[in-house]
PDB file of all heavy atoms in Angstrom:
ATOM      1  N   PHE A 383     103.884  90.410 108.408  1.00 94.00           N
ATOM      2  CA  PHE A 383     102.598  90.166 107.733  1.00 94.00           C
ATOM      3  C   PHE A 383     102.813  89.916 106.245  1.00 94.00           C
ATOM      4  O   PHE A 383     102.217  88.990 105.668  1.00 94.00           O
ATOM      5  CB  PHE A 383     101.675  91.370 107.948  1.00 94.00           C
ATOM      6  CG  PHE A 383     100.273  91.169 107.450  1.00 94.00           C
ATOM      7  CD1 PHE A 383      99.342  90.508 108.221  1.00 94.00           C
ATOM      8  CD2 PHE A 383      99.887  91.642 106.202  1.00 94.00           C
ATOM      9  CE1 PHE A 383      98.041  90.317 107.768  1.00 94.00           C
ATOM     10  CE2 PHE A 383      98.598  91.456 105.737  1.00 94.00           C
ATOM     11  CZ  PHE A 383      97.670  90.797 106.524  1.00 94.00           C
ATOM     12  N   ILE A 384     103.661  90.722 105.621  1.00 94.00           N
ATOM     13  CA  ILE A 384     103.961  90.536 104.194  1.00 94.00           C
ATOM     14  C   ILE A 384     104.581  89.163 103.956  1.00 94.00           C
ATOM     15  O   ILE A 384     104.203  88.440 103.039  1.00 94.00           O
ATOM     16  CB  ILE A 384     104.897  91.650 103.692  1.00 94.00           C
ATOM     17  CG1 ILE A 384     104.196  93.004 103.725  1.00 94.00           C
ATOM     18  CG2 ILE A 384     105.383  91.354 102.270  1.00 94.00           C
ATOM     19  CD1 ILE A 384     105.112  94.181 103.438  1.00 94.00           C
ATOM     20  N   ALA A 385     105.545  88.788 104.801  1.00 93.00           N
ATOM     21  CA  ALA A 385     106.237  87.506 104.638  1.00 93.00           C
ATOM     22  C   ALA A 385     105.284  86.327 104.828  1.00 93.00           C
ATOM     23  O   ALA A 385     105.308  85.353 104.067  1.00 93.00           O
ATOM     24  CB  ALA A 385     107.407  87.412 105.615  1.00 93.00           C
ATOM     25  N   LEU A 386     104.421  86.405 105.842  1.00 93.00           N
ATOM     26  CA  LEU A 386     103.515  85.300 106.127  1.00 93.00           C
ATOM     27  C   LEU A 386     102.491  85.099 105.008  1.00 93.00           C
ATOM     28  O   LEU A 386     102.226  83.969 104.593  1.00 93.00           O
ATOM     29  CB  LEU A 386     102.794  85.542 107.457  1.00 93.00           C
ATOM     30  CG  LEU A 386     103.661  85.437 108.722  1.00 93.00           C
ATOM     31  CD1 LEU A 386     102.868  85.836 109.952  1.00 93.00           C
ATOM     32  CD2 LEU A 386     104.200  84.014 108.877  1.00 93.00           C
ATOM     33  N   LEU A 387     101.913  86.186 104.516  1.00 91.00           N
ATOM     34  CA  LEU A 387     100.929  86.047 103.447  1.00 91.00           C
ATOM     35  C   LEU A 387     101.580  85.622 102.137  1.00 91.00           C
ATOM     36  O   LEU A 387     100.987  84.860 101.376  1.00 91.00           O
ATOM     37  CB  LEU A 387     100.159  87.361 103.246  1.00 91.00           C
ATOM     38  CG  LEU A 387      98.766  87.367 103.916  1.00 91.00           C
ATOM     39  CD1 LEU A 387      98.910  87.343 105.437  1.00 91.00           C
ATOM     40  CD2 LEU A 387      97.956  88.564 103.470  1.00 91.00           C
ATOM     41  N   TYR A 388     102.805  86.074 101.896  1.00 91.00           N
ATOM     42  CA  TYR A 388     103.497  85.653 100.674  1.00 91.00           C
ATOM     43  C   TYR A 388     103.787  84.157 100.707  1.00 91.00           C
ATOM     44  O   TYR A 388     103.731  83.474  99.678  1.00 91.00           O
ATOM     45  CB  TYR A 388     104.798  86.437 100.511  1.00 91.00           C
ATOM     46  CG  TYR A 388     105.552  86.079  99.255  1.00 91.00           C
ATOM     47  CD1 TYR A 388     105.207  86.639  98.027  1.00 91.00           C
ATOM     48  CD2 TYR A 388     106.605  85.161  99.277  1.00 91.00           C
ATOM     49  CE1 TYR A 388     105.882  86.308  96.874  1.00 91.00           C
ATOM     50  CE2 TYR A 388     107.282  84.825  98.117  1.00 91.00           C
ATOM     51  CZ  TYR A 388     106.928  85.404  96.924  1.00 91.00           C
ATOM     52  OH  TYR A 388     107.599  85.056  95.764  1.00 91.00           O
ATOM     53  N   ASN A 389     104.062  83.632 101.889  1.00 90.00           N
ATOM     54  CA  ASN A 389     104.439  82.224 102.023  1.00 90.00           C
ATOM     55  C   ASN A 389     103.247  81.281 101.874  1.00 90.00           C
ATOM     56  O   ASN A 389     103.435  80.073 101.708  1.00 90.00           O
ATOM     57  CB  ASN A 389     105.097  81.990 103.389  1.00 90.00           C
ATOM     58  CG  ASN A 389     105.766  80.646 103.488  1.00 90.00           C
ATOM     59  OD1 ASN A 389     106.473  80.219 102.570  1.00 90.00           O
ATOM     60  ND2 ASN A 389     105.571  79.959 104.599  1.00 90.00           N
ATOM     61  N   ILE A 390     102.024  81.802 101.909  1.00 89.00           N
ATOM     62  CA  ILE A 390     100.847  80.938 101.859  1.00 89.00           C
ATOM     63  C   ILE A 390     100.711  80.240 100.506  1.00 89.00           C
ATOM     64  O   ILE A 390     100.467  79.038 100.436  1.00 89.00           O
ATOM     65  CB  ILE A 390      99.573  81.752 102.176  1.00 89.00           C
ATOM     66  CG1 ILE A 390      99.584  82.189 103.646  1.00 89.00           C
ATOM     67  CG2 ILE A 390      98.315  80.932 101.880  1.00 89.00           C
ATOM     68  CD1 ILE A 390      98.409  83.064 104.036  1.00 89.00           C
ATOM     69  N   LYS A 391     100.891  80.981  99.412  1.00 82.00           N
ATOM     70  CA  LYS A 391     100.664  80.409  98.085  1.00 82.00           C
ATOM     71  C   LYS A 391     101.913  80.409  97.212  1.00 82.00           C
ATOM     72  O   LYS A 391     101.828  80.219  95.994  1.00 82.00           O
ATOM     73  CB  LYS A 391      99.555  81.191  97.360  1.00 82.00           C
ATOM     74  CG  LYS A 391      98.199  81.112  98.021  1.00 82.00           C
ATOM     75  CD  LYS A 391      97.617  79.726  97.958  1.00 82.00           C
ATOM     76  CE  LYS A 391      97.234  79.326  96.554  1.00 82.00           C
ATOM     77  NZ  LYS A 391      96.595  77.999  96.486  1.00 82.00           N
ATOM     78  N   ASN A 392     103.090  80.620  97.821  1.00 84.00           N
ATOM     79  CA  ASN A 392     104.317  80.676  97.042  1.00 84.00           C
ATOM     80  C   ASN A 392     105.387  79.803  97.679  1.00 84.00           C
ATOM     81  O   ASN A 392     105.457  79.689  98.912  1.00 84.00           O
ATOM     82  CB  ASN A 392     104.841  82.122  96.940  1.00 84.00           C
ATOM     83  CG  ASN A 392     103.903  83.014  96.178  1.00 84.00           C
ATOM     84  OD1 ASN A 392     103.884  83.035  94.949  1.00 84.00           O
ATOM     85  ND2 ASN A 392     103.098  83.780  96.905  1.00 84.00           N
ATOM     86  N   HIS A 393     106.219  79.221  96.841  1.00 81.00           N
ATOM     87  CA  HIS A 393     107.360  78.461  97.322  1.00 81.00           C
ATOM     88  C   HIS A 393     108.586  79.374  97.284  1.00 81.00           C
ATOM     89  O   HIS A 393     108.957  79.881  96.224  1.00 81.00           O
ATOM     90  CB  HIS A 393     107.609  77.233  96.446  1.00 81.00           C
ATOM     91  CG  HIS A 393     106.467  76.267  96.440  1.00 81.00           C
ATOM     92  ND1 HIS A 393     106.179  75.448  97.511  1.00 81.00           N
ATOM     93  CD2 HIS A 393     105.526  75.993  95.502  1.00 81.00           C
ATOM     94  CE1 HIS A 393     105.132  74.702  97.235  1.00 81.00           C
ATOM     95  NE2 HIS A 393     104.700  75.020  96.025  1.00 81.00           N
ATOM     96  N   CYS A 394     109.195  79.599  98.417  1.00 82.00           N
ATOM     97  CA  CYS A 394     110.348  80.483  98.478  1.00 82.00           C
ATOM     98  C   CYS A 394     111.268  80.030  99.601  1.00 82.00           C
ATOM     99  O   CYS A 394     110.902  79.218 100.448  1.00 82.00           O
ATOM    100  CB  CYS A 394     109.921  81.942  98.683  1.00 82.00           C
ATOM    101  SG  CYS A 394     108.934  82.198 100.169  1.00 82.00           S
ATOM    102  N   SER A 395     112.462  80.589  99.616  1.00 85.00           N
ATOM    103  CA  SER A 395     113.445  80.200 100.615  1.00 85.00           C
ATOM    104  C   SER A 395     113.199  80.935 101.936  1.00 85.00           C
ATOM    105  O   SER A 395     112.535  81.982 101.975  1.00 85.00           O
ATOM    106  CB  SER A 395     114.852  80.513 100.112  1.00 85.00           C
ATOM    107  OG  SER A 395     115.019  81.919  99.971  1.00 85.00           O
ATOM    108  N   LYS A 396     113.739  80.375 103.000  1.00 88.00           N
ATOM    109  CA  LYS A 396     113.657  81.019 104.303  1.00 88.00           C
ATOM    110  C   LYS A 396     114.376  82.366 104.282  1.00 88.00           C
ATOM    111  O   LYS A 396     113.941  83.334 104.910  1.00 88.00           O
ATOM    112  CB  LYS A 396     114.264  80.107 105.365  1.00 88.00           C
ATOM    113  CG  LYS A 396     114.196  80.665 106.771  1.00 88.00           C
ATOM    114  CD  LYS A 396     114.780  79.680 107.773  1.00 88.00           C
ATOM    115  CE  LYS A 396     114.715  80.244 109.200  1.00 88.00           C
ATOM    116  NZ  LYS A 396     115.262  79.281 110.185  1.00 88.00           N
ATOM    117  N   SER A 397     115.475  82.427 103.537  1.00 88.00           N
ATOM    118  CA  SER A 397     116.237  83.675 103.432  1.00 88.00           C
ATOM    119  C   SER A 397     115.383  84.796 102.842  1.00 88.00           C
ATOM    120  O   SER A 397     115.429  85.940 103.308  1.00 88.00           O
ATOM    121  CB  SER A 397     117.479  83.445 102.566  1.00 88.00           C
ATOM    122  OG  SER A 397     118.173  84.653 102.355  1.00 88.00           O
ATOM    123  N   PHE A 398     114.577  84.479 101.814  1.00 88.00           N
ATOM    124  CA  PHE A 398     113.737  85.506 101.195  1.00 88.00           C
ATOM    125  C   PHE A 398     112.666  85.991 102.149  1.00 88.00           C
ATOM    126  O   PHE A 398     112.369  87.193 102.210  1.00 88.00           O
ATOM    127  CB  PHE A 398     113.114  84.966  99.912  1.00 88.00           C
ATOM    128  CG  PHE A 398     112.276  85.974  99.180  1.00 88.00           C
ATOM    129  CD1 PHE A 398     112.869  87.031  98.510  1.00 88.00           C
ATOM    130  CD2 PHE A 398     110.896  85.881  99.168  1.00 88.00           C
ATOM    131  CE1 PHE A 398     112.103  87.978  97.844  1.00 88.00           C
ATOM    132  CE2 PHE A 398     110.126  86.808  98.501  1.00 88.00           C
ATOM    133  CZ  PHE A 398     110.731  87.863  97.835  1.00 88.00           C
ATOM    134  N   LEU A 399     112.060  85.069 102.917  1.00 91.00           N
ATOM    135  CA  LEU A 399     111.044  85.466 103.884  1.00 91.00           C
ATOM    136  C   LEU A 399     111.627  86.362 104.970  1.00 91.00           C
ATOM    137  O   LEU A 399     110.996  87.337 105.399  1.00 91.00           O
ATOM    138  CB  LEU A 399     110.405  84.227 104.509  1.00 91.00           C
ATOM    139  CG  LEU A 399     109.558  83.357 103.575  1.00 91.00           C
ATOM    140  CD1 LEU A 399     109.002  82.159 104.323  1.00 91.00           C
ATOM    141  CD2 LEU A 399     108.420  84.172 102.959  1.00 91.00           C
ATOM    142  N   ILE A 400     112.834  86.030 105.430  1.00 92.00           N
ATOM    143  CA  ILE A 400     113.493  86.876 106.431  1.00 92.00           C
ATOM    144  C   ILE A 400     113.758  88.264 105.857  1.00 92.00           C
ATOM    145  O   ILE A 400     113.593  89.288 106.530  1.00 92.00           O
ATOM    146  CB  ILE A 400     114.796  86.217 106.918  1.00 92.00           C
ATOM    147  CG1 ILE A 400     114.471  84.940 107.700  1.00 92.00           C
ATOM    148  CG2 ILE A 400     115.606  87.177 107.779  1.00 92.00           C
ATOM    149  CD1 ILE A 400     115.698  84.146 108.111  1.00 92.00           C
ATOM    150  N   THR A 401     114.162  88.298 104.581  1.00 89.00           N
ATOM    151  CA  THR A 401     114.408  89.584 103.926  1.00 89.00           C
ATOM    152  C   THR A 401     113.149  90.435 103.895  1.00 89.00           C
ATOM    153  O   THR A 401     113.186  91.641 104.201  1.00 89.00           O
ATOM    154  CB  THR A 401     114.919  89.360 102.491  1.00 89.00           C
ATOM    155  OG1 THR A 401     116.140  88.619 102.533  1.00 89.00           O
ATOM    156  CG2 THR A 401     115.165  90.689 101.791  1.00 89.00           C
ATOM    157  N   LEU A 402     112.017  89.826 103.523  1.00 90.00           N
ATOM    158  CA  LEU A 402     110.757  90.574 103.504  1.00 90.00           C
ATOM    159  C   LEU A 402     110.383  91.075 104.888  1.00 90.00           C
ATOM    160  O   LEU A 402     109.833  92.173 105.033  1.00 90.00           O
ATOM    161  CB  LEU A 402     109.629  89.691 102.957  1.00 90.00           C
ATOM    162  CG  LEU A 402     109.638  89.367 101.468  1.00 90.00           C
ATOM    163  CD1 LEU A 402     108.460  88.481 101.114  1.00 90.00           C
ATOM    164  CD2 LEU A 402     109.609  90.641 100.638  1.00 90.00           C
ATOM    165  N   ALA A 403     110.675  90.273 105.927  1.00 93.00           N
ATOM    166  CA  ALA A 403     110.285  90.646 107.284  1.00 93.00           C
ATOM    167  C   ALA A 403     111.091  91.828 107.822  1.00 93.00           C
ATOM    168  O   ALA A 403     110.552  92.675 108.542  1.00 93.00           O
ATOM    169  CB  ALA A 403     110.424  89.440 108.216  1.00 93.00           C
ATOM    170  N   VAL A 404     112.381  91.882 107.496  1.00 93.00           N
ATOM    171  CA  VAL A 404     113.246  92.923 108.086  1.00 93.00           C
ATOM    172  C   VAL A 404     113.442  94.123 107.180  1.00 93.00           C
ATOM    173  O   VAL A 404     113.898  95.175 107.640  1.00 93.00           O
ATOM    174  CB  VAL A 404     114.623  92.335 108.470  1.00 93.00           C
ATOM    175  CG1 VAL A 404     114.460  91.165 109.426  1.00 93.00           C
ATOM    176  CG2 VAL A 404     115.403  91.901 107.241  1.00 93.00           C
ATOM    177  N   LEU A 405     113.102  93.990 105.888  1.00 90.00           N
ATOM    178  CA  LEU A 405     113.356  95.093 104.951  1.00 90.00           C
ATOM    179  C   LEU A 405     112.620  96.381 105.320  1.00 90.00           C
ATOM    180  O   LEU A 405     113.224  97.472 105.244  1.00 90.00           O
ATOM    181  CB  LEU A 405     112.997  94.651 103.529  1.00 90.00           C
ATOM    182  CG  LEU A 405     113.365  95.633 102.408  1.00 90.00           C
ATOM    183  CD1 LEU A 405     114.857  95.942 102.422  1.00 90.00           C
ATOM    184  CD2 LEU A 405     112.951  95.066 101.053  1.00 90.00           C
ATOM    185  N   PRO A 406     111.337  96.348 105.710  1.00 92.00           N
ATOM    186  CA  PRO A 406     110.686  97.611 106.080  1.00 92.00           C
ATOM    187  C   PRO A 406     111.396  98.344 107.216  1.00 92.00           C
ATOM    188  O   PRO A 406     111.553  99.569 107.162  1.00 92.00           O
ATOM    189  CB  PRO A 406     109.277  97.159 106.506  1.00 92.00           C
ATOM    190  CG  PRO A 406     109.035  95.899 105.765  1.00 92.00           C
ATOM    191  CD  PRO A 406     110.372  95.219 105.716  1.00 92.00           C
ATOM    192  N   ALA A 407     111.851  97.591 108.238  1.00 92.00           N
ATOM    193  CA  ALA A 407     112.549  98.235 109.353  1.00 92.00           C
ATOM    194  C   ALA A 407     113.882  98.825 108.903  1.00 92.00           C
ATOM    195  O   ALA A 407     114.278  99.913 109.352  1.00 92.00           O
ATOM    196  CB  ALA A 407     112.770  97.219 110.479  1.00 92.00           C
ATOM    197  N   ALA A 408     114.578  98.135 108.006  1.00 88.00           N
ATOM    198  CA  ALA A 408     115.859  98.641 107.518  1.00 88.00           C
ATOM    199  C   ALA A 408     115.676  99.927 106.712  1.00 88.00           C
ATOM    200  O   ALA A 408     116.411 100.909 106.897  1.00 88.00           O
ATOM    201  CB  ALA A 408     116.549  97.570 106.670  1.00 88.00           C
ATOM    202  N   VAL A 409     114.688  99.941 105.821  1.00 87.00           N
ATOM    203  CA  VAL A 409     114.427 101.141 105.023  1.00 87.00           C
ATOM    204  C   VAL A 409     113.954 102.280 105.914  1.00 87.00           C
ATOM    205  O   VAL A 409     114.339 103.444 105.721  1.00 87.00           O
ATOM    206  CB  VAL A 409     113.385 100.828 103.924  1.00 87.00           C
ATOM    207  CG1 VAL A 409     113.000 102.101 103.174  1.00 87.00           C
ATOM    208  CG2 VAL A 409     113.929  99.792 102.958  1.00 87.00           C
ATOM    209  N   GLN A 410     113.114 101.955 106.897  1.00 88.00           N
ATOM    210  CA  GLN A 410     112.626 102.968 107.832  1.00 88.00           C
ATOM    211  C   GLN A 410     113.791 103.651 108.554  1.00 88.00           C
ATOM    212  O   GLN A 410     113.828 104.881 108.690  1.00 88.00           O
ATOM    213  CB  GLN A 410     111.699 102.327 108.848  1.00 88.00           C
ATOM    214  CG  GLN A 410     111.402 103.201 110.066  1.00 88.00           C
ATOM    215  CD  GLN A 410     111.585 102.435 111.365  1.00 88.00           C
ATOM    216  OE1 GLN A 410     111.074 101.332 111.503  1.00 88.00           O
ATOM    217  NE2 GLN A 410     112.303 103.013 112.309  1.00 88.00           N
ATOM    218  N   MET A 411     114.769 102.865 108.988  1.00 87.00           N
ATOM    219  CA  MET A 411     115.916 103.427 109.697  1.00 87.00           C
ATOM    220  C   MET A 411     116.716 104.359 108.797  1.00 87.00           C
ATOM    221  O   MET A 411     117.173 105.424 109.225  1.00 87.00           O
ATOM    222  CB  MET A 411     116.803 102.283 110.211  1.00 87.00           C
ATOM    223  CG  MET A 411     117.909 102.739 111.133  1.00 87.00           C
ATOM    224  SD  MET A 411     117.219 103.490 112.634  1.00 87.00           S
ATOM    225  CE  MET A 411     118.709 104.161 113.368  1.00 87.00           C
ATOM    226  N   VAL A 412     116.870 103.952 107.542  1.00 83.00           N
ATOM    227  CA  VAL A 412     117.610 104.802 106.596  1.00 83.00           C
ATOM    228  C   VAL A 412     116.896 106.135 106.405  1.00 83.00           C
ATOM    229  O   VAL A 412     117.521 107.207 106.424  1.00 83.00           O
ATOM    230  CB  VAL A 412     117.778 104.072 105.248  1.00 83.00           C
ATOM    231  CG1 VAL A 412     118.343 105.025 104.197  1.00 83.00           C
ATOM    232  CG2 VAL A 412     118.692 102.866 105.404  1.00 83.00           C
ATOM    233  N   ILE A 413     115.576 106.097 106.245  1.00 84.00           N
ATOM    234  CA  ILE A 413     114.807 107.328 106.026  1.00 84.00           C
ATOM    235  C   ILE A 413     114.900 108.233 107.256  1.00 84.00           C
ATOM    236  O   ILE A 413     115.019 109.466 107.141  1.00 84.00           O
ATOM    237  CB  ILE A 413     113.346 106.996 105.702  1.00 84.00           C
ATOM    238  CG1 ILE A 413     113.269 106.196 104.398  1.00 84.00           C
ATOM    239  CG2 ILE A 413     112.521 108.259 105.586  1.00 84.00           C
ATOM    240  CD1 ILE A 413     113.891 106.903 103.221  1.00 84.00           C
ATOM    241  N   MET A 414     114.861 107.638 108.435  1.00 84.00           N
ATOM    242  CA  MET A 414     114.980 108.436 109.657  1.00 84.00           C
ATOM    243  C   MET A 414     116.341 109.116 109.750  1.00 84.00           C
ATOM    244  O   MET A 414     116.444 110.271 110.161  1.00 84.00           O
ATOM    245  CB  MET A 414     114.770 107.545 110.881  1.00 84.00           C
ATOM    246  CG  MET A 414     113.325 107.192 111.156  1.00 84.00           C
ATOM    247  SD  MET A 414     113.160 106.218 112.671  1.00 84.00           S
ATOM    248  CE  MET A 414     111.373 106.179 112.850  1.00 84.00           C
ATOM    249  N   LEU A 415     117.383 108.406 109.359  1.00 79.00           N
ATOM    250  CA  LEU A 415     118.723 108.973 109.443  1.00 79.00           C
ATOM    251  C   LEU A 415     118.943 110.064 108.405  1.00 79.00           C
ATOM    252  O   LEU A 415     119.647 111.039 108.647  1.00 79.00           O
ATOM    253  CB  LEU A 415     119.774 107.867 109.270  1.00 79.00           C
ATOM    254  CG  LEU A 415     119.835 106.833 110.397  1.00 79.00           C
ATOM    255  CD1 LEU A 415     120.840 105.742 110.077  1.00 79.00           C
ATOM    256  CD2 LEU A 415     120.200 107.513 111.721  1.00 79.00           C
ATOM    257  N   VAL A 416     118.360 109.897 107.219  1.00 79.00           N
ATOM    258  CA  VAL A 416     118.495 110.929 106.188  1.00 79.00           C
ATOM    259  C   VAL A 416     117.805 112.211 106.647  1.00 79.00           C
ATOM    260  O   VAL A 416     118.386 113.305 106.628  1.00 79.00           O
ATOM    261  CB  VAL A 416     117.901 110.436 104.855  1.00 79.00           C
ATOM    262  CG1 VAL A 416     117.834 111.578 103.846  1.00 79.00           C
ATOM    263  CG2 VAL A 416     118.736 109.286 104.310  1.00 79.00           C
ATOM    264  N   ASN A 417     116.525 112.091 107.039  1.00 72.00           N
ATOM    265  CA  ASN A 417     115.779 113.192 107.673  1.00 72.00           C
ATOM    266  C   ASN A 417     115.920 114.511 106.930  1.00 72.00           C
ATOM    267  O   ASN A 417     116.249 115.547 107.507  1.00 72.00           O
ATOM    268  CB  ASN A 417     116.232 113.359 109.126  1.00 72.00           C
ATOM    269  CG  ASN A 417     115.258 114.212 109.936  1.00 72.00           C
ATOM    270  OD1 ASN A 417     114.096 114.336 109.576  1.00 72.00           O
ATOM    271  ND2 ASN A 417     115.753 114.786 111.012  1.00 72.00           N
ATOM    272  N   GLY A 418     115.680 114.481 105.619  1.00 57.00           N
ATOM    273  CA  GLY A 418     115.682 115.715 104.854  1.00 57.00           C
ATOM    274  C   GLY A 418     117.037 116.172 104.361  1.00 57.00           C
ATOM    275  O   GLY A 418     117.128 117.180 103.665  1.00 57.00           O
ATOM    276  N   ASN A 419     118.103 115.465 104.705  1.00 63.00           N
ATOM    277  CA  ASN A 419     119.438 115.836 104.250  1.00 63.00           C
ATOM    278  C   ASN A 419     119.611 115.387 102.807  1.00 63.00           C
ATOM    279  O   ASN A 419     119.652 114.191 102.512  1.00 63.00           O
ATOM    280  CB  ASN A 419     120.493 115.173 105.157  1.00 63.00           C
ATOM    281  CG  ASN A 419     121.891 115.686 104.860  1.00 63.00           C
ATOM    282  OD1 ASN A 419     122.295 115.796 103.711  1.00 63.00           O
ATOM    283  ND2 ASN A 419     122.611 116.008 105.923  1.00 63.00           N
ATOM    284  N   LEU A 420     119.729 116.336 101.872  1.00 57.00           N
ATOM    285  CA  LEU A 420     119.799 116.015 100.452  1.00 57.00           C
ATOM    286  C   LEU A 420     121.051 115.207 100.128  1.00 57.00           C
ATOM    287  O   LEU A 420     120.995 114.212  99.387  1.00 57.00           O
ATOM    288  CB  LEU A 420     119.765 117.303  99.623  1.00 57.00           C
ATOM    289  CG  LEU A 420     119.838 117.111  98.092  1.00 57.00           C
ATOM    290  CD1 LEU A 420     118.662 116.273  97.615  1.00 57.00           C
ATOM    291  CD2 LEU A 420     119.855 118.469  97.396  1.00 57.00           C
ATOM    292  N   GLY A 421     122.183 115.603 100.678  1.00 63.00           N
ATOM    293  CA  GLY A 421     123.425 114.889 100.401  1.00 63.00           C
ATOM    294  C   GLY A 421     123.378 113.451 100.885  1.00 63.00           C
ATOM    295  O   GLY A 421     123.786 112.530 100.181  1.00 63.00           O
ATOM    296  N   ALA A 422     122.845 113.262 102.077  1.00 64.00           N
ATOM    297  CA  ALA A 422     122.727 111.911 102.617  1.00 64.00           C
ATOM    298  C   ALA A 422     121.747 111.082 101.791  1.00 64.00           C
ATOM    299  O   ALA A 422     121.952 109.881 101.570  1.00 64.00           O
ATOM    300  CB  ALA A 422     122.273 111.959 104.072  1.00 64.00           C
ATOM    301  N   GLY A 423     120.687 111.731 101.308  1.00 62.00           N
ATOM    302  CA  GLY A 423     119.711 111.022 100.482  1.00 62.00           C
ATOM    303  C   GLY A 423     120.314 110.519  99.183  1.00 62.00           C
ATOM    304  O   GLY A 423     120.060 109.393  98.762  1.00 62.00           O
ATOM    305  N   VAL A 424     121.132 111.352  98.544  1.00 64.00           N
ATOM    306  CA  VAL A 424     121.795 110.934  97.301  1.00 64.00           C
ATOM    307  C   VAL A 424     122.756 109.780  97.565  1.00 64.00           C
ATOM    308  O   VAL A 424     122.838 108.813  96.802  1.00 64.00           O
ATOM    309  CB  VAL A 424     122.541 112.128  96.665  1.00 64.00           C
ATOM    310  CG1 VAL A 424     123.374 111.668  95.474  1.00 64.00           C
ATOM    311  CG2 VAL A 424     121.549 113.197  96.235  1.00 64.00           C
ATOM    312  N   ALA A 425     123.489 109.853  98.683  1.00 65.00           N
ATOM    313  CA  ALA A 425     124.421 108.779  99.032  1.00 65.00           C
ATOM    314  C   ALA A 425     123.693 107.463  99.293  1.00 65.00           C
ATOM    315  O   ALA A 425     124.130 106.389  98.873  1.00 65.00           O
ATOM    316  CB  ALA A 425     125.234 109.180 100.258  1.00 65.00           C
TER     317      ALA A 425
END
């Protein structure tokens, strides 16, 4: 949704749109793996 709406009024590369589309899932996975571990969070 973020990628599609950004592409409506902006000129950008396909690579950037793909980045916007997959970035939330990538960050979500990192947060799930950290799961309150302070050392892992700092890393």
Side-chain angles (χ1 to χ4, degrees):
F383 187 83
I384 294 172
L386 290 174
L387 260 67
Y388 181 82
N389 192 45
I390 292 177
K391 296 293 291 183
N392 295 279
H393 298 286
C394 58
S395 65
K396 182 178 180 179
S397 175
F398 182 72
L399 293 179
I400 293 175
T401 300
L402 288 180
V404 303
L405 187 57
V409 174
Q410 166 229 311
M411 189 63 189
V412 171
I413 297 303
M414 283 183 172
L415 293 176
V416 171
N417 195 22
N419 188 314
L420 180 60
V424 173

